[in-house]
Amino acid sequence: MALTAVTLIAISILCTSRVQSIGVNWGTSASHPLPPSRVVELLKLNKISKVKLSDSNPQVLEALSGSTIDVTVGIPNSMLRTLNSSVKSAESWVHDNLTRYLSTHTRIEYIAIGDEPFLQRYGSQFYPYVVGAAINIEAALIRAKLSKNVKVVIPCSFDAFGSESGHPSTGHFRPDINKTMIEVLGFLTKTRSPFFVNISPFLSYYQNKNISLDFALFKETARPHNDTRRLYKNALELSYDTLFTALTVAGFPNIDIVISQIGWPTDGAPNATASNADIFTKGLLDYFHKRKGSPLRPRVMPLEIYIYTLLDEDQRNITAGNFERHWGLFTFDGQAKYQVDFGQSTKRMVNARSVEYFASRWCVVNNNINMSNATARAMEACTNADCTALSPGSSCFNLSWPGNVSYAFNSYYQQHDQRADSCDFGGLGMITTVDPSVGNCRFNVELKASFSVSLRGSKFDYPLIALVLTVWWLLDR
Ligand SMILES: *[C@@H]1O[C@H](CO)[C@@H](O)[C@H](O)[C@H]1NC(C)=O
Ligand SMILES: *[C@@H]1O[C@H](CO)[C@@H](O)[C@H](O)[C@H]1NC(C)=O
Ligand SMILES: *[C@@H]1O[C@H](CO)[C@@H](O)[C@H](O)[C@H]1NC(C)=O
Ligand SMILES: *[C@@H]1O[C@H](CO)[C@@H](O)[C@H](O)[C@H]1NC(C)=O
Ligand SMILES: *[C@@H]1O[C@H](CO)[C@@H](O)[C@H](O)[C@H]1NC(C)=O
Ligand SMILES: *[C@@H]1O[C@H](CO)[C@@H](O)[C@H](O)[C@H]1NC(C)=O
Ligand SMILES: *[C@@H]1O[C@H](CO)[C@@H](O)[C@H](O)[C@H]1NC(C)=O
Ligand SMILES: *[C@@H]1O[C@H](CO)[C@@H](O)[C@H](O)[C@H]1NC(C)=O
Ligand SMILES: *[C@@H]1O[C@H](CO)[C@@H](O)[C@H](O)[C@H]1NC(C)=O
Ligand SMILES: *[C@@H]1O[C@H](CO)[C@@H](O)[C@H](O)[C@H]1NC(C)=O
Ligand SMILES: *[C@@H]1O[C@H](CO)[C@@H](O)[C@H](O)[C@H]1NC(C)=O
């Protein structure tokens, strides 16, 4: 009897710790983001108990206050230089962006210094400031007596380490950041913080043709990679051991690892589909729950993993690829793309509630008039609008001309709050109440959002537009 009780308690502890170590990344680079309170509700409904934010957006942190969700706040790369320059600036950052939310019971667990500052594509511009910024933030936390509860971490990108011919036993950090990485690891060891690393089987597959889709998707049937008699069955194990070797060579084999971003996009590239993302995510959670570890470190698991990402974001930078706007477990409006078992009682994903949309109206091309300018107009619309679903292999790639022109016009129209003048296009645009969506290709209607902070850093400068309109109105009188 007592034994059964003990077993039950043990099982329930195991189960809770299992569920709690999986989180999600929540970004707000969207033209019309779901309101933060709705997102927090979505997290709760789906039993997601950890989030990692890319910044310290006040509305997001306020929405999280009083919840039992553990939070990682991010410091943008653009602030690293200032934060390296003085402890004072770090103290004001902690005061403004941390202390007041902690006092409203937001459970802030980690501060991430920079958003992948070592990403190869950024060059060396952030290297000199990263460790200095981390040291200053840590000093500010100690002064504010917060260093026991809040840890400082430094997210490392998937391209910061590599190997010879894909053999994990030859893993090493990229030579240009090797020295900085050793300082980073020294700092983390001293403060007993884990190593945050992004791992991307999708990008390994997308960029390196030597990894098969099956190997990236955890399929049993994938051909294993053989590295000095160790057999690797999936791309995650391979990356994980490559990283482990790099850490060992650098002199830090025992540091705890947190996988801070891992996921699979559902549009914007061939094989970026919801069915592959479904297979990948199930494979990932299964791998994590089995706790088998990797060939070099059997039974040693990452402390936590953060799935990338919660929601699609239509304003994300697409330099790396059109898939960048389609990593969400949920669409931009909080509808699940596939099923993930986070421990919901129904084992099914719950969609966002009380989502408010603009009216059921779309902007399409009027094909009763001369359309010789339509392609040029669509291209123009696409410099602002989100046309990533039109790219090869994507959900709307099969739309033939002029369907793709309509897609571009509609995206622009929705991003501009369905204002009539944003469906003009030199007389080529026409508003319709008939949904032009076909098959998997969805013509979105945007969210009625009044979440202004997210527009910071996006292309739409509403105060400026308002000023221009006011001046125009005054002159017109
Ligand atoms: C970072 O801050 C330190 C301490 O203030 C300073 O000595 C160093 O020059 C700064 N680094 C850069 C690259 O500005
Ligand atoms: C708080 O963080 C935001 C960016 O996340 C930044 O713009 C602001 O300057 C920060 N406050 C201070 C005092 O550094
Ligand atoms: C590609 O993968 C195979 C299988 O593991 C390996 O033998 C080969 O060395 C790899 N080639 C390159 C160029 O990475
Ligand atoms: C990185 O630094 C470590 C420790 O100083 C050294 O052993 C290793 O060879 C270096 N690796 C590279 C690629 O420079
Ligand atoms: C892996 O490679 C080693 C040689 O490095 C070889 O002895 C072994 O048989 C290979 N294992 C498999 C399963 O291919
Ligand atoms: C998807 O991946 C498979 C297997 O790697 C490949 O054969 C196929 O060409 C890819 N799909 C597209 C549309 O490129
Ligand atoms: C996207 O990122 C690249 C650098 O990675 C930058 O050069 C470019 O200006 C960014 N684009 C936008 C629209 O912010
Ligand atoms: C459409 O307009 C173009 C000039 O913009 C003209 O060259 C073409 O003849 C017109 N087509 C028709 C069918 O009117
Ligand atoms: C196409 O655009 C050009 C330049 O904006 C304009 O002069 C022309 O009248 C347009 N043609 C049609 C048919 O709308
Ligand atoms: C596009 O059409 C081709 C041929 O009909 C079909 O094989 C393919 O699956 C379609 N692609 C998408 C993304 O719907
Ligand atoms: C639409 O399709 C036409 C013909 O395939 C192509 O020339 C044009 O660039 C496409 N437009 C967009 C916005 O994708």
Side-chain angles (χ1 to χ4, degrees), residues 169-330:
S169 57
T170 63
H172 54 79
F173 285 111
R174 231 168 53 215
D176 60 317
I177 55 163
N178 196 43
K179 193 168 151 282
T180 309
M181 228 47 230
I182 288 165
E183 287 169 33
V184 164
L185 289 160
F187 169 81
L188 296 174
T189 303
K190 204 167 140 206
T191 57
R192 295 168 193 269
S193 303
F195 185 71
F196 268 46
V197 63
N198 299 346
I199 289 185
S200 189
F202 173 77
L203 288 171
S204 303
Y205 163 69
Y206 184 78
Q207 295 175 353
N208 160 9
K209 301 301 170 210
N210 204 27
I211 283 186
S212 75
L213 182 63
D214 288 357
F215 191 69
L217 291 177
F218 297 91
K219 294 226 178 122
E220 296 284 340
T221 49
R223 198 169 62 87
H225 288 220
N226 183 355
D227 177 16
T228 53
R229 275 183 234 102
R230 287 187 201 95
L231 282 187
Y232 287 89
K233 291 184 173 163
N234 60 64
L236 173 59
E237 282 186 344
L238 196 80
S239 292
Y240 199 68
D241 274 1
T242 303
L243 171 69
F244 176 64
T245 309
L247 289 168
T248 306
V249 171
F252 298 88
N254 296 321
I255 194 157
D256 284 329
I257 295 172
V258 166
I259 299 182
S260 42
Q261 288 187 8
I262 186 164
W264 197 276
T266 61
D267 208 349
N271 283 315
T273 61
S275 68
N276 283 344
D278 185 6
I279 295 168
F280 177 80
T281 309
K282 289 197 169 68
L284 172 67
L285 296 195
D286 195 45
Y287 178 82
F288 193 66
H289 287 156
K290 278 187 180 148
R291 310 196 80 83
K292 283 209 318 222
S294 59
L296 278 178
R297 289 210 294 180
R299 287 178 302 283
V300 179
M301 295 298 291
L303 272 190
E304 302 167 359
I305 58 177
Y306 290 85
I307 293 178
Y308 193 75
T309 170
L310 183 63
L311 297 154
D312 284 351
E313 296 162 61
D314 66 354
Q315 298 285 298
R316 281 190 55 94
N317 189 316
I318 49 172
T319 306
N322 287 311
F323 53 82
E324 284 290 352
R325 293 179 179 166
H326 304 278
W327 290 98
L329 291 167
F330 294 87

Side-chain angles (χ1 to χ4, degrees), residues 369-373:
I369 57 177
N370 189 329
M371 294 204 291
S372 62
N373 283 344

